[in-house]
Amino acid sequence: MEYIGSRWWRFDFHTHTPASLDYGKDDHSLKNTVTPRSWLMDFINKGIECVAVTDHNTAGWVDLLKVEAESLRKDGHSIYIFPGVKISAHGNIHILGIFDPSTTADDITRLMGAVEFHGTSGDSNAVTEYSPQQVLEKIVRRNGVAIPAHIDLGAGLCKAYSSHTLKQNLEHATAVEVVFRHEQYEETEVKSSPLRSYINLNLGLSEVLSSDAHRPCEVGRGFTWVKMCAPTIEGVRLALLDGDVSIKRSDLYPDDPNIYASNRITGLLVGKTKYCGRGRDFETPFHPWLNCIIGGRGSGKSSILEFLRIGLGRKSEFSEYSFNSEIKNTFDKFAKKPKHRGDDGVLRDDSIIQILYRKDFTEYRLTWEYVNSEIKIEHYEKDTNEWVLEEGNILTRFPARIFSQKQIYDIAKHPNSLLKIIDSTDSVDRFSWESNWNEIRTKFLQARIKYRDLALKIKQKSDIVGQLSDVNRKIILIEKSGHAKILVGYLSAANKKIAIDEFRSGVENKLNELKSFYEEFLFEEVNKDSFAQDNDSDKEFIIEATNLHSKMMARRVEILKLIESGIGDIENYNAWLAASKINDEIKINTAIYEAHVSKLREGGVSNPNEYQLLVNLRKELDVKLKGINNFEFELAKVDKEVKLLYAEMIETRKLLTSRRRNFIEETLKGNKLIHVSIEPFSDEQFLDSGFRKVISREDGVFSNDLFNQDDEKKSGILHKLNEAVLESSDDIDGCIHIINNFKRGLRHKGNANILGYNLSKRFVDFKDSLSPEIYDQILCWFPEDAVRVRYLDGKKMKDISQGSAGQKAATILSFLLSYGEEPLILDQPEDDLDNQLIYDLIVKKIQENKSKRQIIIVTHNPNIVVNGDSELVISLNENKGMSEILCIGGLQDLSVRHAVCNIMEGGRMALQQRYRRIMNS
C-alpha cells in the first residue's frame, strides 16, 4: 500500500546499458539481445525502483528507457529512471552525474559539451578537458547530483590523489560511491584501505553502493536505500545531504527498512463540525511512521487530536489516566453541540468522524456520528470491493494511545496513573489477568458462603441430640408400659375389622346395585307397525319375536329371584360373623386396648398413639444426625478449598506485580535517564478510598481510625499498613504476611489494636458489626501497587515529584515513547521543555520507535518535525473560520519546508542544521 510522505526506495546509482561500449564485457551478444524492457525488468525483478542510467560519456539509452519505464508503470510496476552519465574527467577519474527524471538525453549531451568531452560516446577511456573538481561543479550547477564513482578502486579519486588534492576535488561532491568499505579493507590487512586519506578528511559525505552492472547477472548486487517522498532529484539530493538518517547501503542493510507497525491509522475524515469539514469534508491521510501536524494559532491542529479521540472511542480515558477534572471539562466543552451561537462545542446533529485503521493486511473503517454517538465498524472486502459491517470492542480491537500535554503533566504529578497504561500492555495484559482473578475470587466467595452454610447446619447438632434424647425417653416409658404389645394386638384386630367390613359392604353394595338395575330394566317388544298382517313372512317373524320377548321377561323374573336369594345369603353370613371366633378376638383385643388407654391416661400419658409418631421422629432425627456428620466431613473439605483458593488469590495478585515489574525492567533496560519501579501493595493514593468501598463506608467517617491525611503526621490503621508494607517492599511475601495480619486483626471480635494502632470504641463496634459477606470482601482486598518514577537531573536520580514542570513532563514522555506498538498520538508534548530535553527525551525515542509504532504529534516545535525526520507533515491553515490543509508531504517537499520555515519559530534554523550545507527554500 502506498503512503503519502517519505519512505525507503531501492536506488541503484550506477548502471550501464548497451550504450556503453564495454556493456556485456566478454559476452558481446548481449548488446544485440537486451531490449529496454528486458533491461528494466531485470531491475524490477530485483526490487530496484529507482535506476540512475550512467553510461560512459553518453545518454544514448536514456530516452528509450524513460518511455519504457512509463509503460511499465502503467502495468503496475514501480520503476523510475534517473537520467545520468558516467563522465571520465581529466586524469581518467570517473564521475557520476545524476539528474531529475524529467531530464532528457539532450540535456546530458549539452552537459558533455560543457565539460569539453570530445571522445567517442560510450567509451570509458576518452576523457574530458575538465578536472574532476570542475566536472563535479558543472553537474551541481545544472541541478544534478555529483558523485565520484568507486573512489576506492581504479579510476577513483582515492587511487589518484593525496589527501589535500582529494579534499579540493570533493568540494562540490554531493556524495561518494564506495565499493568496499574502509572496515572491509582493514579486516584483510591493517592500513591497506585506499580510503584512509578520505576517512581522515571527515568530510561527512554520504557513501552509496551501486551495482555498476554491465550485464544482467550483475543487476541488484549492490544498491542504496534512499529515503524520500517521491522519486525526484530534489529528494535524492536532500537524502544524500541528510546522511545516515536517509541513506543506507545494501551491504549493511540487506533487509527492507520499510517495516510498519501492524496497527496504524491510515486516514481521518471530519464532516459537518463547527470549524472543520462544514462546507467540504476535511480529509487527511497518515503515514505509518512519524506524522507531524503543524499550523498557526487557531488553525485547528489540536482539534485533530480530539477528533481522533472521539472517533477511536477514547473519551473515557480522561478518568483513567488523569485526576485533573479541568482536562476532561475542557474536552467536554469541545465535544458537545452548542446550545446557542456563543456557546462552547464544535459538534452538530449531522457531525461525522471517520477513521481508516489498518490491521496487518485488513483495512477497517470506523464511523462515529453525533446522532447516535456510537462507532460503526466495517472492514473492506477486496473481492467484492465493499465495506462489510461487523461487531467488536473498539477499544481492544483498535488500540491507540492519545495524550495531551496537560494529561502528560497530570500523570507526572500522579505517577500511579501509569498503572492503567502499564496494565494495558500486552506483557501485563490486565484484561486477561482480571478475568482469571475474578474467576478465582468468585470461587473463593462461593466457597466461603458454602462454608458458612455448612457451619450453620452443623451448629444444629446439639439441638438435635437433645431432642433425640427426649424422644428416646418417651419411647422407653411407653414400651415399659406394655403398650407396644397391646398396640400390636389392637392394630391387628382393627386391621381385620376393617378388612371384614370392607368385604361385607362391598358384596352388599354390588348386589343392591344389581337389584336396583333389574327392577327398572324391561325388554321392549318389537314394533309391529312396520310389518303387514296379511304377509306370511311378516306373520312368521312377529310370532318368533313375540316368543323371544316373553322368554326374556321370564328370565328377568328369574334373575330377580336369584338376587333375592343372594340377599338371604348375606344375611346368613352376617349372622355367622356375629357369633364367629374372629369377631370375639376383635372384641377382646379392642377391649384390652381401651382398658390400657384408660390406665395410661390415669398414669399421665395423654396420647398413647404418640408412640408411633415418636418412633418416626426418632428415625428423622437419626437421619439428620448422619447428615450432620457428613456436613462435618464436607466442612473440612470446604475449609481446605477456601485456604487453597485464598493462596491462589495471593499468587495471582503477586503475578500482577511480577508482570508489571518485568515490563518496566524490559522497557527501560539500558535507559540511564529515567528509572521506574513498582513497589508492591504500597499505593497510598487510593488506599483509603479503595478500602472504604470494600467496607461500604465511603462517607468519610472514622478518618482517625482508618487514614487521617489532614494531620502533619498521618494516622490510622491504613497508614500503619502502608508504612509496614513499604518497609518490606523488597520482600513481597513479607508484604503479604503483613496484609494477612491486618485482615485477621479486623476479623477478631473485640480487637481494638491493629498493627500497633489503637482503635476507637465506635470503630471497634462498627467493625464487629460487619456482615460475614463484607469480611469475605476484605479477604479479597489487597492494596494497589505504587509506581515510583525517578529521573536523572544530570548528576543523580531524583524523585519525579522534585522535578520542574519540564523535567516531569519529559520523564513521562520518555516512558510513553519507550514501549508499545499501537499508534501514539500526542498533542504539543514539547510544552515546558527546552530544546535539549526535546532532543534527548523525545526526538531520540521517536527515531528509535517509529518503525515499530505509528506516531502522530501535534507540535509547534520544529526540532521534533525536522530532527525527528517526520515522514509526513500536515500543515493546517485557518481560512474563513475553517480548518484546511495548507500543504501535506515529507520534508523533501519544497512546500512543506516553506511551511516549517514560515509557521514554526526556528524552523529555518532547524532545517539548515539538519541539511548541513544547502537548503532549497
Side-chain angles (χ1 to χ4, degrees), residues 3-14:
Y3 292 94
I4 295 178
S6 304
R7 69 173 178 90
W8 293 98
W9 302 71
R10 280 188 178 92
F11 203 118
D12 195 336
F13 284 91
H14 186 175

Side-chain angles (χ1 to χ4, degrees), residues 369-394:
E369 295 177 308
Y370 180 83
V371 67
N372 54 28
S373 293
E374 293 180 356
I375 299 174
K376 180 174 65 175
I377 303 173
E378 300 169 286
H379 75 268
Y380 183 69
E381 196 65 56
K382 293 181 180 178
D383 294 339
T384 59
N385 197 28
E386 294 178 335
W387 290 98
V388 180
L389 188 66
E390 62 177 69
E391 301 295 326
N393 185 316
I394 189 79

Side-chain angles (χ1 to χ4, degrees), residues 433-448:
W433 176 90
E434 198 154 4
S435 176
N436 185 44
W437 168 265
N438 288 334
E439 183 179 348
I440 298 168
R441 182 176 176 273
T442 300
K443 287 180 181 178
F444 174 78
L445 293 174
Q446 289 173 344
R448 288 285 299 168

Side-chain angles (χ1 to χ4, degrees), residues 854-874:
Q854 182 186 45
I855 301 173
I856 301 172
I857 298 183
V858 175
T859 182
H860 52 67
N861 190 294
N863 291 299
I864 292 177
V865 180
V866 177
N867 295 323
D869 189 29
S870 181
E871 279 73 28
L872 184 66
V873 179
I874 304 164

